[in-house]
Amino acid sequence: MRVMGVDPGLTRCGLGAVEGRPGAPLSLIKAGVVRTPADDEIGARLVAIEAGIEQWLDEVRPDAVAVERVFAQHNLRTVMGTAQASAVAILCASRRGLPVALHTPSEVKAAITGSGTADKQQVGTMVTRLLRLDAMPKPADAADALALAICHVWRGGAQSRLAEAAAKAASASGTTPAAYFRSRGRAGHPRGTAK
């Protein structure tokens, strides 16, 4: 499975792609960032991010895209910019029919380091080890994007298979997946919550 991770941001949008499967070594495909000048208009910045992500999708040809889930911060301007860049990434992937997964920062940290409170240095160090790199990917936004991709390879594949199996079971029983999950209760839903 080839996954492209996106660490959304207006000034630096981290991008990273890995290939692998759970229980097997991972391979680095590419890592980097799309940069936009802080003094440009918001529309021009979003267009530049879109162009950069589209170019990456053309080059990397991922099976899925993992985007950091926007979380509340004290700085409203920062969270708005992150949300806007996140939406561009989701749009670009969805336009191509690619599955998109959202992972929280703590979920990614826990998957990569074993601790949901790990700092950027710890995440970068583990990304370097897991991908067998000589040096930590720079800037940190690229390392964070690779961590998102790794997290999705390890967790997203299993979630996707569970969702597919549940959809087949729902189809066989003549019901919708939502109704199937409700009949099974909270534990039956692939993400652990009834929909």
Side-chain angles (χ1 to χ4, degrees):
M1 171 183 239
R2 183 173 287 197
V3 178
M4 187 172 111
V6 181
D7 180 36
L10 278 179
T11 303
R12 285 186 316 273
C13 183
L15 300 167
V18 301
E19 192 164 41
R21 59 184 173 80
L26 298 161
S27 300
L28 171 69
I29 304 301
K30 187 176 179 182
V33 295
V34 173
R35 297 176 189 271
T36 68
D39 55 353
D40 278 6
E41 292 291 325
I42 183 67
R45 297 178 81 183
L46 294 174
V47 167
I49 290 169
E50 178 190 27
I53 291 172
E54 288 290 353
Q55 182 178 350
W56 267 68
L57 289 169
D58 286 340
E59 292 175 13
V60 171
R61 299 200 171 287
D63 300 308
V65 175
V67 181
E68 182 178 282
R69 183 183 297 276
V70 178
F71 61 98
Q73 295 181 358
H74 296 296
N75 186 335
L76 183 59
R77 177 173 285 192
T78 300
V79 79
M80 287 300 294
T82 302
Q84 290 163 336
S86 176
V88 169
I90 294 167
L91 173 68
C92 290
S94 298
R95 186 185 293 140
R96 293 171 183 241
L98 294 170
V100 177
L102 301 175
H103 298 285
T104 65
S106 59
E107 179 185 0
V108 174
K109 291 174 185 178
I112 302 300
T113 70
S115 170
T117 60
D119 61 26
K120 281 192 176 287
Q121 180 68 31
Q122 292 169 312
V123 171
T125 298
M126 285 306 298
V127 165
T128 304
R129 286 183 188 164
L130 292 168
L131 295 176
R132 301 172 308 285
L133 304 175
D134 294 331
M136 191 180 303
K138 301 267 186 206
D141 308 273
D144 290 346
L146 289 169
L148 276 153
I150 293 167
C151 174
H152 188 70
V153 167
W154 288 350
R155 294 186 171 188
Q159 290 174 344
S160 294
R161 286 190 299 276
L162 183 57
E164 286 172 19
K168 286 181 184 176
S171 177
S173 68
T175 185
T176 66
Y180 177 79
F181 291 134
R182 279 194 298 275
S183 73
R184 296 285 185 267
R186 298 179 72 83
H189 192 273
R191 297 199 188 274
T193 58
K195 292 277 180 184

